[in-house]
Amino acid sequence: MKAGSAAKLIVDALLQRFLPLARRRIETAQAQDGQYLRPSDPAYEQVLDSLAMVARHTPVPLLEAL
């Protein structure tokens, strides 16, 4: 497997995890009239950290996915 295709698989998996977490955060903020008071979500933070790591090492697959 090429490094590019492995990176694409990783990005796809991370985005599949990220999207529902982000939607939940947006819905929570909307329900609270824009005041997002919920404490940090460790799962959300972990996915963001993972996406940041991918972006540092192989940004092209992440940019293409976005």
Side-chain angles (χ1 to χ4, degrees):
M1 181 181 293
K2 290 183 178 180
S5 60
K8 183 177 179 344
L9 290 173
I10 292 168
V11 167
D12 290 344
L14 288 171
L15 288 177
Q16 285 180 348
R17 289 180 56 203
F18 172 77
L19 291 174
L21 293 169
R23 280 189 193 108
R24 185 174 51 195
R25 290 175 70 94
I26 290 168
E27 289 167 359
T28 301
Q30 289 173 339
Q32 297 175 355
D33 294 326
Q35 295 181 356
Y36 190 74
L37 303 175
R38 188 171 159 219
S40 67
D41 181 350
Y44 181 76
E45 298 296 327
Q46 181 184 24
V47 172
L48 285 181
D49 290 344
S50 297
L51 286 169
M53 185 178 299
V54 169
R56 280 193 294 272
H57 296 285
T58 55
V60 174
L62 181 59
L63 293 172
E64 287 174 346
L66 296 175

